[in-house]
Amino acid sequence: MRATLLLIAMGLGLLAAPGRGQAQVVLPPADTVRPVPPPLWRKSGKAGLGLNESLLSTNWRGGGVNTIGFNALANLKANRRLGVHSFDNESDFLFAFSETRGLGYRKGQDRLYLDTKYGRAISSNWNMFLSLNLLTQFAGGYKYDKDALSNDRARQVSGFFAPAFLTAAYGFEYHPNPAFRVRLAPFAPRLTVVNRAERFVGVLGDTPYGVNPGHSTRWEVLAAQVLAEYDKPLSPAVALKARYVLFANYANLNGKEIDHRLDLGLTAKVGKYVNVALNGIGLYDFDQDAGLQYSQGLTIGVAYAFQNFVDEKK
């Protein structure tokens, strides 16, 4: 009897011993857990669509006309850094139009901007760089006025690649923080392209956008460019993006013939996918017009944004 009890006690002790009858989980030391490496390409994007309309009955006494409007915008970036080398790419698209009863189709805003840049760091805040960018539009633009008999008319003043500006820039870039950067390019040759320039002579004058009729291009080789960008959230729901470009031809280096362009975009998120966007463009280009040109648009629509990295601390 005593031998039986002794055998039972020994069996229970073996079952209760560590490693017997149960699995052991071994955790690696905390210092051996590897963090997730940052992505090779830092990608981000924003896109939005907006639609507005007004519909009135034929006997509506309050005045007004039926109108429908549409707008779309998108901004995509892909950047990479390898030691002192950096590669930055951006595409920016904006388009808006309206259809109004009695007036028909009217384009509001239209922009296509593509930019690619290689930089080599020479200090924590300065790069040497070379870049190539394109600025043009998609759809035709028209000037609406009246002829000698007071009849309404629409005359085309722009179109796809009419004009288009292709600029190669070489110089230095200052970037004190992730939100702001400015490029100083003392050598920035620009090619202006106007497809079939002669069709705009009657509206814009003898040299539409600086291109002689019978030609489709104009070179400005000895020129300088300054490009400044500011892109930063002002709050968790509001973001501001601004781009300013100055272009100066050394052959006509005077205040009247230096080109300036400012693009502004202010967005505010109302919900997860709903936002309000205010866009504006200010332009002074003596080859186009002796006065200041501007365009402004306000839209409410759906929006989507993504990025595959965590913002750097500012």
Side-chain angles (χ1 to χ4, degrees):
M1 184 66 179
R2 290 180 179 178
T4 302
L5 293 175
L6 182 58
L7 290 173
I8 294 174
M10 291 176 62
L12 292 174
L14 291 173
L15 291 175
R20 299 289 184 174
Q22 62 181 359
Q24 291 187 3
V25 179
V26 180
L27 296 176
D31 57 356
T32 64
V33 179
R34 296 181 179 180
V36 178
L40 293 178
W41 287 93
R42 294 164 60 93
K43 302 175 184 177
S44 63
K46 301 174 184 177
L49 293 173
L51 182 68
N52 60 79
E53 62 88 27
S54 64
L55 179 63
L56 309 174
S57 65
T58 56
N59 62 340
W60 180 257
R61 301 306 182 192
V65 293
N66 296 341
T67 302
I68 184 169
F70 171 82
N71 63 80
L73 58 91
N75 181 268
L76 302 173
K77 295 182 179 180
N79 303 326
R80 184 174 181 177
R81 183 176 296 277
L82 293 172
V84 297
H85 307 282
S86 61
F87 306 89
D88 299 326
N89 303 277
E90 180 179 6
S91 62
D92 195 22
F93 166 79
L94 172 65
F95 183 68
F97 73 88
S98 64
E99 183 79 24
T100 303
R101 184 179 180 181
L103 296 177
Y105 166 86
R106 295 285 193 273
K107 184 176 75 169
Q109 294 179 309
D110 188 4
R111 178 184 69 219
L112 174 63
Y113 176 79
L114 304 174
D115 181 79
T116 183
K117 176 180 66 72
Y118 162 74
R120 190 184 190 285
I122 55 178
S123 73
S124 59
N125 292 337
W126 286 90
N127 287 345
M128 293 187 299
F129 82 91
L130 60 89
S131 68
L132 182 68
N133 60 58
L134 169 70
L135 177 64
T136 185
Q137 54 192 358
F138 282 100
Y142 296 84
K143 179 179 180 180
Y144 301 94
D145 56 10
K146 296 182 181 296
D147 59 19
L149 300 177
S150 297
N151 297 316
D152 294 331
R153 63 179 178 180
R155 295 184 291 171
Q156 189 172 6
V157 294
S158 64
F160 180 63
F161 262 69
F165 304 98
L166 187 65
T167 307
Y170 309 84
F172 299 90
E173 180 184 59
Y174 176 61
H175 50 92
N177 56 66
F180 175 74
R181 61 187 60 238
V182 58
R183 303 180 195 173
L184 307 173
F187 182 55
R190 183 173 75 175
L191 174 66
T192 301
V193 180
V194 180
N195 183 25
R196 293 170 47 215
E198 59 275 4
R199 58 184 162 154
F200 305 131
V201 170
V203 189
L204 301 178
D206 296 336
T207 55
Y209 305 103
V211 176
N212 293 317
H215 298 78
S216 58
T217 60
R218 176 196 180 193
W219 278 101
E220 295 173 273
V221 177
L222 297 178
Q225 184 186 68
V226 176
L227 189 155
E229 291 184 313
Y230 184 80
D231 189 355
K232 184 179 180 179
L234 302 181
S235 74
V238 180
L240 173 66
K241 179 177 176 60
R243 182 191 304 117
Y244 167 74
V245 180
L246 177 150
F247 182 83
N249 188 328
Y250 290 129
N252 304 301
L253 199 58
N254 58 76
K256 185 176 67 173
E257 298 188 58
I258 295 177
D259 301 340
H260 305 269
R261 180 183 174 109
L262 176 64
D263 291 78
L264 288 172
L266 184 67
T267 58
K269 294 184 65 175
V270 179
K272 185 175 181 180
Y273 296 110
V274 179
N275 79 327
V276 178
L278 176 64
N279 296 288
I281 301 173
L283 173 65
Y284 175 79
D285 187 337
F286 186 75
D287 293 322
Q288 299 185 28
D289 194 277
L292 177 67
Q293 305 175 60
Y294 64 89
S295 171
Q296 179 267 325
L298 176 65
T299 62
I300 300 176
V302 296
Y304 174 73
F306 72 89
Q307 67 180 39
N308 67 341
F309 60 91
V310 177
D311 289 322
E312 300 176 16
K313 293 182 179 180
K314 303 179 178 59

